[in-house]
Amino acid sequence: MIRTMIVEDQTMLRDSLVMAVNARSDMEVVAALSDAALAPDEVARARPDVVLMDVCTENDSSGIAATRIIKGGDPEVRVIVMTGMPDITFVEQAREAGADSFVYKNLGTEDLLA
């Protein structure tokens, strides 16, 4: 079972991702947050295998900064950074922060989960 944490400030998208992940037999959501600043502590508590991390979240928190902290504390946690913004600098910033992958939100849910 792949333990998954979702960090996404848009409620509808976060709820949809939770439902899509939980509908799979090989994955489960162990935490869902709207603020990336809370993510490092939640990773330590919930012990996910994978984090789906939005670039910009509630309270102007940076998913990239949270990724750097998470990967610094536990490099085994896989972090997939995602954004809907076409700013290409996010890809390099995510890579420098230690993200394992980067996706744009226009990707289909099934493709993301695969």
Side-chain angles (χ1 to χ4, degrees), residues 53-68:
M53 177 73 72
D54 191 7
V55 168
C56 300
T57 67
E58 196 171 83
N59 300 317
D60 293 322
S61 294
S62 167
I64 292 173
T67 296
R68 183 173 286 109

Side-chain angles (χ1 to χ4, degrees), residues 5-11 13-14 32-40 51-67 70 80-85 90 105:
M5 184 168 100
I6 298 169
V7 183
E8 168 60 56
D9 61 328
Q10 295 178 20
T11 303
L13 181 54
R14 186 177 60 249
L33 308 172
S34 59
D35 187 339
L38 304 175
V51 177
L52 299 177
M53 177 73 72
D54 191 7
V55 168
C56 300
T57 67
E58 196 171 83
N59 300 317
D60 293 322
S61 294
S62 167
I64 292 173
T67 296
I70 290 166
I80 301 169
V81 174
M82 55 187 184
T83 188
M85 296 179 279
F90 286 140
K105 289 182 185 175

Side-chain angles (χ1 to χ4, degrees), residues 4-93:
T4 307
M5 184 168 100
I6 298 169
V7 183
E8 168 60 56
D9 61 328
Q10 295 178 20
T11 303
M12 188 182 317
L13 181 54
R14 186 177 60 249
D15 290 349
S16 294
L17 286 170
V18 167
M19 288 189 326
V21 169
N22 283 335
R24 294 182 54 107
S25 62
D26 62 340
M27 299 177 79
E28 69 175 332
V29 174
V30 295
L33 308 172
S34 59
D35 187 339
L38 304 175
D41 287 341
E42 191 62 22
V43 165
R45 187 197 69 72
R47 310 293 303 157
D49 302 306
V50 176
V51 177
L52 299 177
M53 177 73 72
D54 191 7
V55 168
C56 300
T57 67
E58 196 171 83
N59 300 317
D60 293 322
S61 294
S62 167
I64 292 173
T67 296
R68 183 173 286 109
I69 295 167
I70 290 166
K71 294 299 283 187
D74 187 350
E76 295 301 311
V77 174
R78 301 290 177 238
V79 180
I80 301 169
V81 174
M82 55 187 184
T83 188
M85 296 179 279
D87 186 340
I88 61 169
T89 64
F90 286 140
V91 176
E92 186 59 34
Q93 291 174 40

